[in-house]
Amino acid sequence: MAPVLGEGYPGRMAEIVNLNRARKARDRAAAGEKAAANRAAHGRTKAERARDAAAERERNVLLDGARLDGPATGKPAPEEPG
């Protein structure tokens, strides 16, 4: 009589694992962790970028208005007659 599975074996049988799937899952998890770290270190939201761009535009307008020479070209402004 042949032994029934589980009888005579000290533990359960191992679960069969597809090594390609396991490797890809491991790589996906590692890439996800790296992406999360990069987002935390370098990422900014679209609203933050827009706010910074608006602040820079305001700063440039203010500085251009305070120039003694012509606007942003670097050439002196033409003298007014009179």
Side-chain angles (χ1 to χ4, degrees):
M1 178 170 200
V4 179
L5 286 179
E7 249 184 61
Y9 291 104
R12 294 182 166 203
M13 292 181 64
E15 185 177 335
I16 297 174
V17 177
N18 183 327
L19 296 179
N20 281 331
R21 286 185 186 167
R23 177 184 49 82
K24 287 180 181 182
R26 181 197 64 213
D27 292 347
R28 244 182 254 115
E33 290 174 7
K34 183 177 179 183
N38 284 339
R39 281 193 300 272
H42 304 289
R44 296 189 305 158
T45 65
K46 189 173 185 178
E48 289 172 333
R49 289 192 306 264
R51 184 190 64 223
D52 291 347
E56 187 174 350
R57 280 193 302 273
E58 285 182 32
R59 211 172 21 251
N60 288 337
V61 167
L62 180 65
L63 288 174
D64 284 346
R67 284 181 180 265
L68 295 177
D69 55 356
T73 59
K75 298 178 184 175
E79 293 185 25
E80 295 180 14

